[in-house]
Amino acid sequence: GLDLNRLRLSNIEENSLVGVNNFYEANQYINFDNNQIRILKKNQFKGLEKVYELSLSQNLISIIEENVFTNISYIKILKLDSNFITYIKKEFFYNLNSLYKLDLSNNLIKRLEENAFFYLENLQILRLMNNQIKFIRPNAFSNLKNLNQLDLSY
């Protein structure tokens, strides 16, 4: 895998990861944990088509642009825990229909929008514990046909 842990990164420029797949085999992970990333932007992860696991834990992420993960559609595990995310909507996870595990624990999530996890039809594990969820819109968990673990504890 590629470990970019604790580099004090505050931004990942668009297309800056293009070509990374050439350095390792498929089914690898990329670790951006413990940096200072604040915004996830569209095309930041372009070039990571073969990534199995992407970890962005313990950053300062508070903004996620729509369709940000479009270029990494084969990812199985996505860790966004211990950030400053305040809400979830379906456009965040567009094209992640291979995702198996999503960790959004230890954020500041206050609400889950309608169909928030709509594109995650193969998701089996969803971790939302230790958030501040006050409002869950109707059908927030619709289309999660394969979900077998949901943790909403506080």
Side-chain angles (χ1 to χ4, degrees):
L2 179 60
D3 192 354
L4 300 170
N5 185 26
R6 299 183 192 271
L7 294 178
R8 297 188 182 152
L9 294 173
S10 60
N11 189 25
I12 303 167
E13 291 294 326
E14 184 175 329
N15 298 320
S16 63
L17 299 171
V18 172
V20 169
N21 280 336
N22 299 329
F23 295 108
Y24 61 91
E25 295 180 25
N27 298 329
Q28 294 295 319
Y29 70 90
I30 295 188
N31 179 350
F32 283 104
D33 292 354
N34 299 297
N35 280 292
Q36 298 170 6
I37 300 167
R38 295 175 188 275
I39 301 172
L40 297 182
K41 301 176 192 168
K42 190 174 180 180
N43 293 325
Q44 274 180 320
F45 302 107
K46 191 173 184 178
L48 301 182
E49 291 82 8
K50 298 178 185 175
V51 170
Y52 176 84
E53 178 178 339
L54 176 63
S55 185
L56 291 152
S57 302
Q58 297 180 357
N59 276 282
L60 304 172
I61 299 166
S62 61
I63 298 171
I64 302 175
E65 291 185 2
E66 294 182 5
N67 306 323
V68 70
F69 301 110
T70 301
N71 297 307
I72 54 173
S73 60
Y74 295 108
I75 191 168
K76 302 288 185 208
I77 300 170
L78 178 58
K79 297 179 181 177
L80 292 166
D81 59 288
S82 304
N83 280 288
F84 295 91
I85 301 166
T86 58
Y87 67 98
I88 299 298
K89 61 182 190 173
K90 70 179 180 181
E91 291 80 9
F92 292 170
F93 307 116
Y94 178 73
N95 205 33
L96 290 182
N97 39 355
S98 295
L99 200 65
Y100 166 85
K101 178 180 180 180
L102 176 60
D103 190 347
L104 291 162
S105 60
N106 301 304
N107 274 286
L108 302 173
I109 298 170
K110 293 178 176 63
R111 68 183 197 270
L112 298 176
E113 298 295 333
E114 188 170 354
N115 297 312
F117 306 102
F118 183 79
Y119 297 111
L120 305 178
E121 58 195 37
N122 290 305
L123 193 69
Q124 293 184 31
I125 302 168
L126 178 55
R127 302 180 76 217
L128 287 163
M129 67 277 236
N130 296 321
N131 277 287
Q132 301 172 6
I133 299 172
K134 303 272 190 261
F135 190 70
I136 299 175
R137 302 268 318 196
N139 299 313
F141 300 104
S142 69
N143 210 34
L144 293 177
K145 299 174 241 177
N146 297 301
L147 190 68
N148 58 42
Q149 288 183 32
L150 172 63
D151 193 340
L152 289 163
S153 62
Y154 185 71

